[in-house]
Amino acid sequence: MLLPKLAAIYLSLTLSGVRALECSQEIGSDFLSVDAGGGQAFAIRTGDLVYRWCNYRWIPVMGTMKQISVNGSTVYGIHNTWHLYRYLHGSWFLMDESTIQITAKHTNMLYSIGELLGNIFCSLLDKNDPTYSSWKSSFITMSVMACGLHDCWGIDSNGNLRYLITPSTCAVQLSFIKIYGNFVTLDVSDNGVVYAIDSNWKLHRSIGVRTSVTTLEPLLPEKKIRSVSVDGDLLWLVTVEGTIMLCNV
């Protein structure tokens, strides 16, 4: 569900013509990033302040985090000490350290990027112990990683998009799919569509999914976007000015 009233429709150029994205009016200020999944959304503001979207407004959450990954009631955060926390019942519980990024949207699996070498680690979620993790290193390095329900993509050290094979065994394999570019961040929808932001703060969307992706199309070419997160048919965006937009996709 979008914000109460849609104030604008932004046009996005595609390979086949012009596609309209229906987006809300930009709101707020000083936002740095946003992450949404399973009907919940969390955002980080200047000073690593954490907020949760509730009843059409941003509610402050205790504590400070540099990065948030959310999938419904499953919420993780990384502190500026690189310690990993899980958000449970309104509080943050310490799990691990030496983590620079976390993604929790893949089915029953948690992926992280280690602080020292940038290796991807995987841990199966333990329903009986929500703060326990047993990490398995893939020895594959990525600067950024994002997952949908079934698919994961990463950005390598050269800024290229790479499709990651993530079997149910919690292993990670590097596929042959490479999309050249200078990308800085991304997210993946539950149906496998990739949304990526390049170094010029331009937003792109994949044409095709998984190994059929060969190119990307621009979205909102008149906007500069610093953070993207997709949840179902909703696209959450943070502009370089620090405002938040919510679009139907």
Side-chain angles (χ1 to χ4, degrees), residues 32 44-50 63-67 79-80:
L32 301 176
I44 296 176
R45 278 178 136 156
T46 300
D48 294 342
L49 301 176
V50 181
T64 58
M65 294 289 156
K66 294 188 70 67
Q67 189 237 330
H79 191 258
N80 62 11

Side-chain angles (χ1 to χ4, degrees), residues 163-192:
Y163 181 66
L164 301 170
I165 302 169
T166 51
S168 59
T169 56
C170 212
V172 180
Q173 303 168 37
L174 192 62
S175 79
F176 65 92
I177 299 298
K178 178 186 290 188
I179 308 298
Y180 291 95
N182 193 12
F183 298 100
V184 295
T185 192
L186 77 163
D187 199 18
V188 183
S189 72
D190 286 347
N191 60 3

Side-chain angles (χ1 to χ4, degrees), residues 106-143:
H106 200 289
T107 303
N108 299 323
M109 283 182 278
L110 183 67
Y111 292 96
S112 71
I113 295 179
E115 178 190 2
L116 296 179
L117 300 176
N119 286 354
I120 296 175
F121 291 82
C122 177
S123 177
L124 295 173
L125 293 176
D126 188 337
K127 296 180 180 179
N128 297 319
D129 188 351
T131 61
Y132 172 79
S133 60
S134 179
W135 297 103
K136 178 181 179 181
S137 176
S138 67
F139 303 103
I140 294 174
T141 62
M142 289 287 149
S143 59

Side-chain angles (χ1 to χ4, degrees), residues 53-81:
W53 184 246
C54 181
N55 295 327
Y56 300 108
R57 61 193 183 103
W58 292 104
I59 306 297
V61 172
M62 64 167 291
T64 58
M65 294 289 156
K66 294 188 70 67
Q67 189 237 330
I68 297 283
S69 183
V70 54
N71 186 14
S73 61
T74 304
V75 182
Y76 290 89
I78 298 177
H79 191 258
N80 62 11
T81 59

